[in-house]
Amino acid sequence: MTQSFETISENRSFGGTQGVYRHKSQATGTDMTFAVYLPEAAQHGRVPVLWYLSGLTCTHENAMTKAAAQEWCAETGLAIIFPDTSPRGDDVADDEAYDLGKGAGFYVNATQDPWKPHYQMWQYIVHELPELVSDNFAIDREAMGISGHSMGGHGALTIAMTHPERYRSVSAFSPIANPTESDWGRKQLGAYLGDDREAWKAHDSTLLMRERGYPGEILIDQGSSDQFLDLLKPEALAHAMMERRQPGQFRMQPGYDHSYFFVQSFMGDHVMWHAERLA
Amino acid sequence: MTQSFETISENRSFGGTQGVYRHKSQATGTDMTFAVYLPEAAQHGRVPVLWYLSGLTCTHENAMTKAAAQEWCAETGLAIIFPDTSPRGDDVADDEAYDLGKGAGFYVNATQDPWKPHYQMWQYIVHELPELVSDNFAIDREAMGISGHSMGGHGALTIAMTHPERYRSVSAFSPIANPTESDWGRKQLGAYLGDDREAWKAHDSTLLMRERGYPGEILIDQGSSDQFLDLLKPEALAHAMMERRQPGQFRMQPGYDHSYFFVQSFMGDHVMWHAERLA
């Protein structure tokens, strides 16, 4: 299979390169845009890579511009990839609500119309995009970690627990932690996967934690003043982690909200966390 | 009230002094032994102080010799106090089991015979001993933190949540986190406080967390290979912390057990945690 992509922009950043690229995705059947930061170390050989999945309403751009990850990735020699959160385009199904459709792919493979034709974000993130970037950038596919914020934290945790052989490290910022019991989850899982709740179980971090956990340590940060705590349900995942004796840490950070000011404040900790485990 | 005590031993340690002392306690009606480490900084003025409460079967001696706290207290200029875990003496009630009676005071004021006459450990730890040490050592009673291991973690958390005005920082190592629902708790609370479970509620960290929490951040470390996890119930406290949005962090440390090898491994983190908050 030939994989081609075009360069939208490239900017020097902390001695490395912040690039934005576009390609035709087989998984989603649409053009997809993604961002890659390569540290200076990537000029000398393949480097470990951190996947960062964004939250509701985001594109590849939010974290790239507001998470302040490049400084830490440069220092630790880590690449970081910011994918989009859903398919885009005029022929892609959407919903008027901010939390369904475009910008709200929820990192699942939709099985229900009208979403099924393009909303294949799990396939895209887990399979297609890693192949494309490892074929075209100096990243080490054997040293991948994954993180994300909110809906992206949900994606990171569910993906890592499902494919621990692919992701050697995982962390999350204020993840949607128990979507099968939240209005951030039931609506989307019902739309994309249908009414059979059995199909939802593979996409709930708390349920996956109870069932299988993760073979490495997990780092989760949550702001105590997050305006969406009732939707995120950190207590459910914290209980499941500790009940399972899952190695890792769940940190409730006082006074922080759901914004990128929060994410930025702890991005250094997360990048260092992944760098130590991917070295 | 005249408070007198005798010196059992004093040893230089990391530039400071590790002492062991004995006094007649009014609270317990017995002689009580306690250990105080004073860093070199205490020669120049009053220093902040960390209370460290030990676990079942321990005396003042276990943590003093095995927790490796002195190095960190010297570096940060913190005093640390290691009290005993129960009254001692031939006329003190006891039980054949290791987890009731001597070495198992559970940091409560007993209301039931035969325990009531001497088992007044809450009164001793919270009121009597702080007064004695602040009258006789260069410690700053306005800058006190509290920590502990297992039964002592239970003591530290329940005491700090009940008296946040006295304890400006709190942490715990593998605390007995939900004793009203554990065989490490029901037996002891029933013996010391009687069958009325209302009286138990003030001595369960999970219940106190649900009801009131703590105004500062809390640090808890738990080993994932702890042989007593089913008795400690970290999941209950973690759930209560996150549900309350309690600032702090609950860390599940992979591979560590219930021993002082675990406590020692993270003592540096805890001392630094307290030092930052008591400075």
Side-chain angles (χ1 to χ4, degrees), chain A residues 46-69:
Chain A
R46 290 184 179 270
V47 296
V49 58
L50 175 59
W51 292 83
Y52 181 93
L53 307 185
S54 286
L56 289 167
T57 76
C58 291
T59 69
H60 67 283
E61 194 177 4
N62 303 64
M64 178 182 77
T65 57
K66 296 194 292 184

Side-chain angles (χ1 to χ4, degrees), chain A residues 235 239 245-246 248 250 252, chain B residues 235 239 245-246 248 250 252:
Chain A
E235 63 277 7
H239 183 275
R245 329 311 183 193
Q246 168 67 50
F250 204 120
M252 183 63 68
Chain B
E235 63 277 6
H239 183 276
R245 327 312 184 193
Q246 168 65 50
F250 204 120
M252 182 63 68

Side-chain angles (χ1 to χ4, degrees), chain B residues 13 36 40 49 91 94 182 203 208 217 239 258 261-262:
Chain B
S13 167
V36 177
E40 192 276 342
V49 59
D91 63 337
D94 199 7
S182 168
H203 298 284
L208 288 171
E217 295 184 80
H239 183 276
H258 201 66
F261 294 108
F262 161 67

Side-chain angles (χ1 to χ4, degrees), chain B residues 123-135:
Chain B
Q123 174 68 19
Y124 176 69
I125 296 291
V126 176
H127 300 286
E128 184 180 21
L129 195 53
E131 188 169 338
L132 183 140
V133 294
S134 65
D135 284 353

Side-chain angles (χ1 to χ4, degrees), chain B residues 207-273:
Chain B
L207 300 181
L208 288 171
M209 179 57 63
R210 286 184 194 147
E211 179 198 293
R212 59 174 76 181
Y214 179 74
E217 295 184 80
I218 293 179
L219 170 64
I220 299 176
D221 273 315
Q222 170 64 58
S224 75
S225 297
D226 193 312
Q227 55 270 50
F228 302 113
L229 278 162
D230 290 346
L231 295 163
L232 300 169
K233 303 199 176 298
E235 63 277 6
L237 180 56
H239 183 276
M241 282 177 66
M242 303 308 160
E243 187 172 56
R244 189 181 185 81
R245 327 312 184 193
Q246 168 65 50
Q249 46 192 284
F250 204 120
R251 310 195 300 190
M252 182 63 68
Q253 303 284 7
Y256 289 91
D257 59 25
H258 201 66
S259 74
Y260 264 91
F261 294 108
F262 161 67
V263 173
Q264 182 178 123
S265 298
F266 298 98
M267 182 56 76
D269 285 3
H270 284 245
V271 171
M272 298 293 280
W273 172 274

Side-chain angles (χ1 to χ4, degrees), chain A residues 156-190:
Chain A
L157 291 168
T158 54
I159 286 171
M161 281 191 273
T162 306
H163 290 295
E165 78 288 354
R166 287 171 177 262
Y167 299 93
R168 284 170 44 193
S169 58
V170 61
S171 75
F173 300 84
S174 39
I176 299 176
N178 192 192
T180 63
E181 301 295 334
S182 169
D183 287 341
W184 272 358
R186 285 183 294 235
K187 173 183 179 178
Q188 295 84 354
L189 296 174

